[in-house]
């Protein structure tokens, strides 16, 4: 697996954990949590990349609400 893909999957997993543990949480709140956690680290990866976090948030919310897997091509359609 490529380093970029792996880094994006790490963001997705972190966002899924945040969404699942905080109930009804907004995208700006998720971004704030990630910012506070990763801003001071030397290598933030994609945790502060707005587009990556937004896609991960949409995926996490979709999967939580629909109890089914979110497919990447939905991002292209929406």
């Amino acid at each position: 697996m490529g380093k970029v893909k792996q880094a994006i999957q790490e963001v997705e997993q972190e966002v899924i954990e945040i969404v699942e543990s905080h109930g009804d949480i907004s995208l700006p709140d998720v971004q704030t949590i990630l910012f506070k956690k990763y801003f001071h680290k030397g290598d933030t990866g994609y945790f502060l990349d707005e587009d990556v976090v937004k896609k991960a948030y949409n995926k996490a919310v979709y999967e939580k609400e629909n109890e089914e897997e979110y497919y990447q091509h939905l991002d292209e359609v929406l």
Side-chain angles (χ1 to χ4, degrees):
M1 177 182 318
K3 290 183 180 183
V4 172
K5 187 172 183 173
Q6 181 178 357
I8 291 172
Q9 286 180 339
E10 289 172 5
V11 173
E12 289 176 352
Q13 186 60 41
E14 180 85 20
V15 171
I16 287 169
E17 290 174 12
I18 293 169
V19 168
E20 288 178 352
S21 66
H22 287 83
D24 189 21
I25 188 168
S26 68
L27 174 59
D29 289 340
V30 170
Q31 290 171 315
T32 299
I33 291 169
L34 292 173
F35 180 80
K36 288 179 179 180
K37 186 172 182 178
Y38 291 99
F39 178 70
H40 295 291
K41 295 188 176 191
D43 180 20
T44 61
Y46 287 90
F47 289 98
L48 302 182
D49 184 297
E50 189 172 337
D51 290 332
V52 172
V53 173
K54 182 178 178 180
K55 287 180 181 180
Y57 174 80
N58 289 338
K59 176 180 179 178
V61 170
Y62 178 88
E63 289 180 354
K64 181 179 178 183
E65 291 177 353
N66 297 291
E67 297 181 0
E68 65 181 56
E69 190 172 339
Y70 180 89
Y71 295 100
Q72 191 67 27
H73 71 273
L74 289 177
D75 280 335
E76 298 166 5
V77 174
L78 302 175

